[in-house]
Amino acid sequence: MSHATRLLTPDQAIAIAQENIQGSPLITITAYLGQVEVPSCFAQVGGGGVTSKDGLHYVQWSIEKGELLILFVGLGLFTYQLEDERKPAGWRQRHGQPADDHE
């Protein structure tokens, strides 16, 4: 199946990406990086690709320092953040952050 590349402004791309992950309230798209390759230092997270309500296939990537990327087929690569107070404890432990913020 072929996916056409969309020609969008960064703001348009961010809006479409954010709209397509509404089912994942922990995620906030922070920047549009364009049609670029995922750097080799990043590893795929989240158990594989997901298809959003708009039919965009996307995959999430991260590195140990906690930087997060999400790649939408046909739309490009984005950075994103997870809302700190809502991060699952298992995610925090995998990314070197304390599981309990009250210690």
Side-chain angles (χ1 to χ4, degrees):
M1 184 170 162
S2 175
H3 295 275
T5 299
R6 300 182 186 194
L7 298 176
L8 302 166
T9 67
D11 287 344
Q12 290 172 321
I14 289 169
I16 290 173
Q18 191 69 51
E19 181 178 306
N20 275 276
I21 55 169
Q22 284 181 348
S24 301
L26 297 175
I27 298 175
T28 301
I29 301 293
T30 54
Y32 176 54
L33 304 177
Q35 298 289 337
V36 296
E37 296 290 324
V38 176
S40 61
C41 58
F42 281 81
Q44 189 172 330
V45 295
V50 178
T51 301
S52 66
K53 68 184 184 90
D54 192 30
L56 290 177
H57 186 76
Y58 66 90
V59 179
Q60 295 167 263
W61 304 79
S62 74
I63 58 174
E64 289 183 7
K65 292 192 302 185
E67 294 177 31
L68 302 167
L69 299 176
I70 185 166
L71 176 67
F72 286 86
V73 173
L75 193 56
L77 190 65
F78 299 79
T79 60
Y80 71 92
Q81 65 184 23
L82 296 176
E83 295 183 34
D84 284 337
E85 68 277 5
R86 297 167 66 189
K87 287 180 187 174
W91 186 96
R92 291 192 301 251
Q93 290 169 346
R94 284 193 308 273
H95 291 83
Q97 298 177 1
D100 184 357
D101 295 331
H102 301 292
E103 292 181 342

